[in-house]
Amino acid sequence: MTQKFVGFLRSVNVGGTGKLPMSDLVRMCQDIGFTEVHTYIASGNVLFSTAMERAAAQRALEARLLEYCGKTIRVHLRTPEELQGIAADNPFADQAGNKVAVILLDTPPDQPETKGQKDEEIATGTRELYVHYPDGMGRSKLVIAGTEQGTARNMNTIAKLVTLL
């Protein structure tokens, strides 16, 4: 049975460290055997279909990224239903989408320990944390323990990916 996934790569961006051309990411996914592969913006979001189970697909993509980049790149996979749930469960839906981030994790989050929290608000989800950054993420000094292996996307990105499914 073929399953659709959205892969969220950690530490991939447009410039600087972690630079990965999205055309190379598409090619890697196709080499693994994923189908219907396309990316959304150059921050490591890839949509694909595969007959592999979630864990196998995640391991295959992480192994290919290690081979390509020479370092470990964490991948968090979500099904279309899970991604729709993340969007629907956003506790800060009344805030601007670019001021709310979801930190995707592999396991359910504990109540987070924080440093540098000013006026940011945090809520737990199923396998994610939602963070409202009233002054913007770039200005925040917030550090959330236990999220080092996670990856964040703002809710505008999540909403767009939902429409692409």
Side-chain angles (χ1 to χ4, degrees), residues 103-120:
I103 302 170
L104 302 158
L105 306 166
D106 281 336
T107 59
D110 294 323
Q111 187 59 36
E113 292 183 28
T114 64
K115 288 198 295 192
Q117 188 170 359
K118 186 179 164 193
D119 53 1
E120 300 90 351

Side-chain angles (χ1 to χ4, degrees), residues 2-124:
T2 301
Q3 170 87 31
K4 286 188 176 190
F5 289 105
V6 180
F8 297 92
L9 282 62
R10 184 179 190 291
S11 299
V12 170
N13 55 45
V14 178
T17 62
K19 188 174 180 182
L20 171 65
M22 293 298 98
S23 58
D24 289 356
L25 177 57
V26 168
R27 207 168 15 264
M28 282 185 260
C29 289
Q30 292 169 334
D31 289 347
I32 293 168
F34 299 163
T35 59
E36 301 177 79
V37 180
H38 57 281
T39 60
Y40 173 67
I41 63 176
S43 59
N45 308 299
V46 61
L47 299 92
F48 62 90
S49 294
T50 182
M52 292 181 188
E53 295 291 326
R54 178 195 309 260
Q58 182 176 347
R59 283 191 306 271
L61 185 50
E62 287 178 345
R64 186 66 186 91
L65 287 162
L66 175 61
E67 183 181 306
Y68 178 91
C69 297
K71 66 178 184 174
T72 300
I73 305 289
R74 293 283 299 131
V75 177
H76 299 274
L77 298 182
R78 296 297 189 268
T79 65
E81 297 78 18
E82 290 168 335
L83 198 61
Q84 290 164 351
I86 288 169
D89 294 344
N90 175 10
F92 308 115
D94 58 335
Q95 303 298 326
N98 65 336
K99 301 258 177 140
V100 177
V102 60
I103 302 170
L104 302 158
L105 306 166
D106 281 336
T107 59
D110 294 323
Q111 187 59 36
E113 292 183 28
T114 64
K115 288 198 295 192
Q117 188 170 359
K118 186 179 164 193
D119 53 1
E120 300 90 351
E121 299 173 273
I122 304 170
T124 58

Side-chain angles (χ1 to χ4, degrees), residues 96-165:
N98 65 336
K99 301 258 177 140
V100 177
V102 60
I103 302 170
L104 302 158
L105 306 166
D106 281 336
T107 59
D110 294 323
Q111 187 59 36
E113 292 183 28
T114 64
K115 288 198 295 192
Q117 188 170 359
K118 186 179 164 193
D119 53 1
E120 300 90 351
E121 299 173 273
I122 304 170
T124 58
T126 306
R127 285 186 299 143
E128 56 278 335
L129 290 172
Y130 296 89
V131 184
H132 173 227
Y133 294 93
D135 296 328
M137 193 174 195
R139 294 181 181 197
S140 176
K141 304 291 186 217
L142 177 64
V143 176
I144 305 171
T147 62
E148 298 82 7
Q149 296 301 313
T151 189
R153 300 295 186 277
N154 73 36
M155 291 308 294
N156 289 344
T157 298
I158 297 296
K160 181 62 177 180
L161 287 166
V162 166
T163 68
L164 295 175
L165 297 167

